[in-house]
């Protein structure tokens, strides 16, 4: 096998630290496996003293298999594993833990939900809130942050501390560990027991870390301890592909590696074996706008191909129709459905495209589980208004209790639940309950008037009236402030519903569509397991590490990518890295699409398009 000069430098490196910058499609797995072989065969290094750390179980298994093939199928006791698997192995030796001590995800959720009940936490979507709190606890542990000076992201500091402490108390009491504890406890063990640390340093003389750009603070500190005093630490990664800051990954750790190890050798795997020159150069122009990075010159080994296609559409419906028609053109040109991927920034985006693919009978597969828009609590609120307005009970001034309870104080009307008696609510009955409070009677009458208006409207007008006329958007703004969320996040859900409603003349047709969509999502969940010939739909995060002959980037608009949440320079740089990862998944053809209008509002194209285009 022929190697480029920089690949040979990495493969032949023996002692001391080394930083290998591995651009997209540069053959880093090949370099890692050949370096292990070189250590064993050329330098006589004991295979059992080599540790290879990856971020996923699948990556560890692939690395192990490729190494075995390279060694002619002979088994060598090189250790391949994820951070969690390796560190849990260390804790097993020290504390005699076993798999029964690892807490399951549903147990974690249950603990947080019980704590929410204890502290009377009032949120609209309990599962979303509990998941956000668990992610935040994970981040605090991974970054080794002090709770005393921590500004909580999802709720008040006081509540977060209670939830954090309550969660940790349960784990300690039941002798359970979560994945972050494996890291934190390993760090504490090595810090306090130098004899145990020395034994592991003795065992693993050579440490190789893949995807180093995704490392967090506590992982790095443990690896540094283990690599001392020999410092045979060989790290491979690409700071330009660091896209997991929300999980605690810190690209600045990789950027600071040469300061921590001034004696380290450094090399760049600067040949892209995956993509054509046009794709590699456009992606290079884009990422060069990031300031916090190692500068790199990446070249394509495959030579010239087609230019990057940037397409503008009038609106989101035209965009999805245009993409679907182009997909059919690719099929006629001899491509397979499986050759094509459509990438997007968040899982909120592909709903319209999915509906269009279903319409044209194009097979597709979601890599991520897609949330059903119509099951979101905001959508359920708006649909409850619509159900009350259109229900046959409405003519008799009555409504189903479960729908009324859902919307009566959204927005706030300060109606007491005791005023809502029985399975069916009579508006006259509610007014009688408040007969001595004229202002409350007026509020109920205003609601009755609004519901009559909604009942006479087409779907899209009804959604708009509930949001603007009844004041539901204002309620979302208040809720966003309480939850420390961006209002836009919540309004986007309502925008999506309004966009969906615009495609239907009547409520019955729209409701039938919702049921069909739900069934399609169920089918998708089953299809994800089967490897069939279909178009791949996935988020930019999920696309990392994959490649396709043809790639479409959907909705390259400002506030989508870069996302509206990205405010700080560090956030914008992360968004740019994400777009870079999306671009570099394409081998032959790259299409970047954006719409001039969405949700009835004018949209700007993403700044990233201007950055990758050749100016002048």
């Amino acid at each position: 096998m022929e190697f480029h000069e920089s690949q040979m430098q990495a493969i032949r490196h023996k002692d001391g630290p080394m930083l290998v910058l591995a651009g997209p499609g540069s053959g880093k797995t090949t370099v890692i496996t050949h370096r292990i072989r070189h250590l064993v065969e050329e330098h006589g290094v004991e295979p059992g003293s080599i540790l290879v750390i990856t971020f996923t179980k699948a990556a560890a298994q692939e690395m192990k298999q490729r190494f075995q093939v390279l060694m002619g199928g002979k088994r060598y006791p090189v250790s391949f594993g994820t951070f969690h698997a390796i560190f849990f192995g260390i804790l097993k030796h020290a504390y005699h833990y076993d798999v029964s001590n690892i807490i399951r995800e549903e147990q974690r959720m249950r603990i947080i939900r019980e704590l929410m009940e204890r502290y009377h936490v009032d949120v609209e979507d309990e599962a979303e809130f509990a998941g956000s709190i668990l992610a935040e606890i994970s981040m605090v542990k991974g970054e080794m942050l002090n709770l005393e000076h921590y500004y909580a992201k999802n709720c008040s500091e006081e509540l977060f501390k209670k939830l954090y402490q309550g969660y940790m108390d349960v784990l300690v009491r039941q002798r359970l560990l979560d994945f972050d504890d494996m890291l934190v406890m390993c760090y504490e063990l090595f810090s306090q027991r130098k004899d145990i640390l020395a034994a592991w340093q003795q065992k693993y003389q050579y440490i190789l870390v893949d995807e180093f750009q995704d490392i967090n603070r506590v992982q790095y500190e443990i690896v540094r301890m283990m690599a001392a005093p020999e410092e045979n630490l060989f790290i491979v990664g690409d700071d330009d592909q660091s896209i997991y800051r929300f999980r605690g990954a810190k690209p600045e750790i990789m950027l600071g590696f040469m300061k921590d190890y001034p004696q380290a050798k450094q090399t760049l795997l600067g040949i892209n074996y995956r993509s054509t020159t046009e794709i590699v150069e456009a992606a290079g122009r884009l990422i060069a706008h990031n300031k916090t990075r190692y500068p790199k010159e990446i070249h394509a080994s495959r030579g010239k191909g087609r230019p990057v296609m940037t397409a503008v559409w009038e609106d989101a419906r035209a965009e999805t129709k245009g993409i679907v028609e182009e997909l059919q053109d690719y099929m006629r040109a001899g491509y397979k459905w499986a050759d094509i991927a459509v990438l997007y920034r968040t899982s909120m985006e592909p709903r319209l495209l999915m509906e269009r693919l279903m319409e044209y009978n194009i097979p597709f597969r979601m890599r991520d589980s897609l949330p059903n828009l119509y099951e979101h609590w905001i959508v359920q609120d708006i649909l409850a208004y619509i159900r009350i307005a259109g229900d046959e009970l409405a003519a008799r001034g009555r409504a189903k209790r479960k729908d009324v309870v859902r919307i009566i104080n959204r927005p706030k009307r300060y109606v007491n639940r005791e005023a809502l008696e029985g399975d069916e609510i009579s508006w006259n009955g509610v007014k009688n309950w408040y007969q001595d409070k004229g202002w409350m009677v007026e509020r109920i009458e205003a609601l009755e008037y609004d519901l009559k208006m909604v009942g006479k409207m087409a779907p899209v007008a009804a959604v708009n009236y509930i949001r603007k006329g009844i004041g539901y958007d204002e309620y979302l703004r208040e809720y966003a402030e309480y939850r420390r969320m961006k209002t836009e996040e919540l309004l986007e859900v309502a925008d999506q519903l309004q966009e969906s409603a615009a495609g239907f003349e009547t409520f019955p047709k729209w409701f039938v569509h919702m049921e069909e969509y739900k069934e399609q999502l169920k089918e998708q969940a089953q299809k994800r397991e089967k490897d069939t010939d279909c178009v791949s739909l996935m988020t930019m995060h999920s696309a990392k590490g994959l490649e396709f002959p043809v790639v479409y980037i959907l909705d390259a608009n400002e506030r989508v990518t870069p996302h509206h949440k990205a405010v700080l320079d560090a956030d914008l740089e992360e968004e740019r890295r994400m777009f870079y990862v999306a671009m570099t998944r394409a081998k032959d053809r790259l299409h970047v699409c954006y719409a001039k209008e969405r949700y009835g509002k004018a949209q700007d194209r993403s700044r990233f398009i201007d950055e990758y285009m050749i100016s002048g």
Side-chain angles (χ1 to χ4, degrees):
M1 192 171 179
E2 294 251 332
F3 288 109
H4 185 261
E5 184 191 338
S6 59
Q7 289 178 316
M8 285 308 301
Q9 280 175 6
I11 289 166
R12 289 180 175 157
H13 176 77
K14 181 173 182 277
D15 294 325
M18 184 173 207
L19 166 62
V20 179
L21 292 166
S26 61
K28 69 182 176 64
T29 305
T30 303
V31 165
I32 292 170
T33 50
H34 277 78
R35 191 212 173 205
I36 303 166
R37 180 170 85 164
H38 195 78
L39 287 173
V40 173
E41 292 186 344
E42 301 300 320
H43 298 291
V45 170
E46 172 58 46
S49 71
I50 301 172
L51 171 63
V52 184
I53 306 177
T54 65
F55 274 83
T56 66
K57 199 173 172 183
Q61 285 167 342
E62 187 202 348
M63 199 88 74
K64 186 175 186 174
Q65 283 164 358
R66 285 185 51 177
F67 175 65
Q68 274 183 6
V69 169
L70 193 59
M71 304 305 275
K74 194 177 168 192
R75 290 180 180 275
Y76 286 83
V78 174
S79 294
F80 293 87
T82 62
F83 277 100
H84 294 113
I86 302 295
F87 296 166
F88 185 61
I90 291 168
L91 294 178
K92 273 188 352 191
H93 275 276
Y95 301 120
H96 309 294
Y97 282 119
D98 62 35
V99 178
S100 68
N101 296 110
I102 301 173
I103 191 169
R104 296 188 312 277
E105 196 54 37
E106 63 268 24
Q107 286 174 285
R108 299 176 75 222
M109 285 294 273
R110 193 168 65 243
I111 293 167
I112 294 296
R113 285 186 154 183
E114 284 167 2
L115 290 165
M116 286 164 63
E117 215 170 294
R118 186 193 302 170
Y119 296 120
H120 310 293
V121 178
D122 182 22
V123 290
E124 301 302 345
D125 187 336
E126 284 187 8
E128 179 271 330
F129 179 77
S132 299
I133 290 294
L134 285 169
E136 198 166 353
I137 289 171
S138 178
M139 200 266 297
V140 167
K141 290 185 189 180
E143 281 306 297
M144 306 164 78
L145 299 174
N146 184 336
L147 266 189
E148 289 311 306
H149 311 297
Y150 177 68
Y151 178 78
K153 291 185 172 70
N154 290 284
C155 56
S156 70
E157 283 69 42
E158 183 190 1
L159 176 58
F160 181 73
K161 279 178 196 168
K162 283 178 181 172
L163 295 173
Y164 183 100
Q165 207 49 61
Y167 171 77
M168 290 309 297
D169 288 347
V170 174
L171 264 60
V172 171
R173 205 165 52 243
Q174 298 182 12
R175 202 165 187 262
L176 291 170
L177 300 173
D178 64 18
F179 284 120
D180 303 294
D181 293 327
M182 293 177 195
L183 310 182
V184 172
M185 288 178 73
C186 205
Y187 174 77
E188 288 169 352
L189 176 70
F190 283 171
S191 303
Q192 291 156 16
R193 291 290 302 274
K194 298 302 173 195
D195 55 330
I196 292 175
L197 173 59
W200 288 100
Q201 287 170 335
Q202 196 63 39
K203 177 168 173 55
Y204 292 127
Q205 300 279 311
Y206 289 86
I207 300 176
L208 298 86
V209 185
D210 187 24
E211 301 283 12
F212 190 81
Q213 74 278 353
D214 295 333
I215 204 163
N216 70 21
R217 177 60 55 196
V218 69
Q219 288 165 339
Y220 182 52
E221 294 303 335
I222 299 168
V223 166
R224 288 197 72 185
M225 287 179 182
M226 286 176 77
E230 306 290 339
E231 316 288 23
N232 293 328
L233 184 54
F234 182 88
I235 68 159
V236 183
D238 182 5
D239 53 306
D240 290 335
Q241 293 187 71
S242 177
I243 58 171
Y244 295 117
R245 266 176 77 235
F246 68 97
R247 283 190 205 155
K250 285 272 181 271
E252 42 280 33
I253 293 173
M254 188 168 188
L255 292 163
F257 186 78
M258 299 303 288
K259 287 196 188 86
D260 292 337
Y261 295 97
Q263 78 279 30
K265 299 277 196 307
Q266 183 181 334
T267 191
L268 166 67
L269 306 183
I271 305 290
N272 180 317
Y273 297 96
R274 175 189 299 152
S275 310
T276 59
T277 300
E278 287 80 356
I279 293 167
V280 170
E281 289 182 352
R285 286 192 292 275
L286 169 86
I287 203 65
H289 284 79
N290 271 5
K291 305 278 189 292
T292 315
R293 65 186 288 264
Y294 286 107
K296 304 172 193 71
E297 284 287 329
I298 308 282
H299 302 283
S301 74
R302 289 184 52 207
K304 286 202 163 297
R306 294 289 185 91
V308 174
M309 299 298 296
T310 307
V312 56
W313 307 93
E314 280 307 312
D315 58 27
R317 289 186 180 279
E319 179 187 25
T320 55
K321 187 168 188 287
I323 289 173
V324 164
E325 286 168 358
E326 286 181 21
L327 297 186
Q328 292 177 313
D329 290 341
Y330 272 117
M331 279 302 284
R332 287 191 279 271
Y335 282 83
K336 298 198 297 289
W337 295 124
D339 291 335
I340 305 167
V342 182
L343 312 183
Y344 35 84
R345 173 62 183 84
T346 73
S347 57
M348 287 289 287
E349 285 160 68
R351 182 187 51 78
L352 271 183
L353 178 65
M354 275 177 62
E355 291 174 2
R356 191 74 74 177
L357 291 167
M358 284 153 62
E359 190 187 318
Y360 280 72
N361 287 319
I362 293 176
F364 64 95
R365 187 180 56 187
M366 315 290 301
R367 191 171 166 90
D368 316 83
S369 59
L370 189 69
N372 185 348
L373 170 73
Y374 304 115
E375 286 173 1
H376 195 287
W377 64 267
I378 291 173
V379 172
Q380 287 297 313
D381 284 357
I382 294 172
L383 293 180
Y385 270 109
I386 289 167
R387 278 195 300 272
I388 295 170
D391 195 270
E392 64 271 15
L393 297 172
R396 291 189 281 121
R398 302 178 80 82
K400 290 189 182 114
R401 184 178 194 277
K402 67 180 177 64
D403 286 335
V404 173
V405 166
R406 185 164 195 111
I407 59 94
I408 194 70
N409 287 314
R410 301 177 184 183
K412 285 195 180 88
R413 297 184 181 91
Y414 302 97
V415 174
N416 191 322
R417 283 217 175 183
E418 287 174 22
L420 311 173
E421 290 177 351
D423 290 339
E424 285 182 10
I425 304 301
S426 149
W427 296 119
N428 282 337
V430 180
K431 286 186 280 192
N432 286 338
W433 203 86
Y434 282 110
Q435 59 188 343
D436 56 341
K437 292 181 175 144
W439 71 92
M440 287 301 293
V441 173
E442 281 172 23
R443 279 178 192 165
I444 303 304
E445 285 173 346
L447 175 58
E448 284 184 279
Y449 170 80
D450 286 333
L451 290 167
K452 280 197 184 95
M453 293 293 289
V454 169
K456 295 173 189 168
M457 294 175 175
V460 69
V463 174
N464 190 53
Y465 186 83
I466 291 161
R467 295 178 64 186
K468 308 290 195 303
I470 295 179
Y472 188 77
D473 277 8
E474 197 46 51
Y475 159 72
L476 290 180
R477 286 188 185 92
E478 285 172 17
Y479 182 71
E481 195 176 331
Y482 162 66
R483 275 290 318 278
R484 297 189 175 181
M485 298 169 90
K486 274 197 172 268
T487 307
E488 204 162 338
E489 248 177 278
L490 302 181
L491 292 179
E492 189 180 350
V493 177
D495 284 341
Q496 285 242 348
L497 184 70
Q498 201 161 324
E499 182 179 66
S500 169
F504 300 90
E505 290 161 22
T506 67
F507 288 113
K509 284 182 184 171
W510 191 28
F511 292 149
V512 167
H513 163 75
M514 288 180 201
E515 281 306 308
E516 287 172 352
Y517 183 74
K518 184 177 168 184
E519 288 309 309
Q520 180 65 40
L521 283 183
K522 272 189 204 159
E523 257 180 61
Q524 279 303 316
Q526 291 157 359
K527 222 187 252 186
R528 266 208 309 280
E529 307 308 313
K530 299 171 191 158
D531 191 16
T532 52
D533 182 27
C534 40
V535 177
S536 291
L537 271 56
M538 67 189 82
T539 60
M540 294 175 180
H541 278 114
S542 293
K544 190 163 175 284
L546 303 176
E547 56 181 45
F548 299 89
V550 181
V551 167
Y552 279 80
I553 296 177
L554 189 67
D555 294 340
N557 287 91
E558 281 292 305
R559 305 191 72 71
V560 175
T561 176
H563 198 261
H564 58 73
K565 275 187 183 175
V567 180
L568 307 172
D569 287 346
D571 299 328
L572 282 168
E573 295 216 343
E574 173 110 339
E575 292 288 320
R576 192 175 284 110
R577 289 194 293 269
M578 223 174 297
F579 205 89
Y580 175 75
V581 164
M583 291 179 78
T584 54
R585 300 311 94 200
K587 293 162 78 171
D588 306 322
R589 307 280 185 91
L590 174 61
H591 298 260
V592 180
C593 307
Y594 68 98
K596 287 184 191 171
E597 184 192 286
R598 191 102 200 237
Y599 312 134
K601 302 170 201 142
Q603 302 282 310
D604 294 323
R605 75 179 186 184
S606 171
R607 69 191 75 181
F608 299 151
I609 291 174
D610 300 309
E611 291 173 0
Y612 71 67
M613 282 182 156
I614 301 169
S615 51

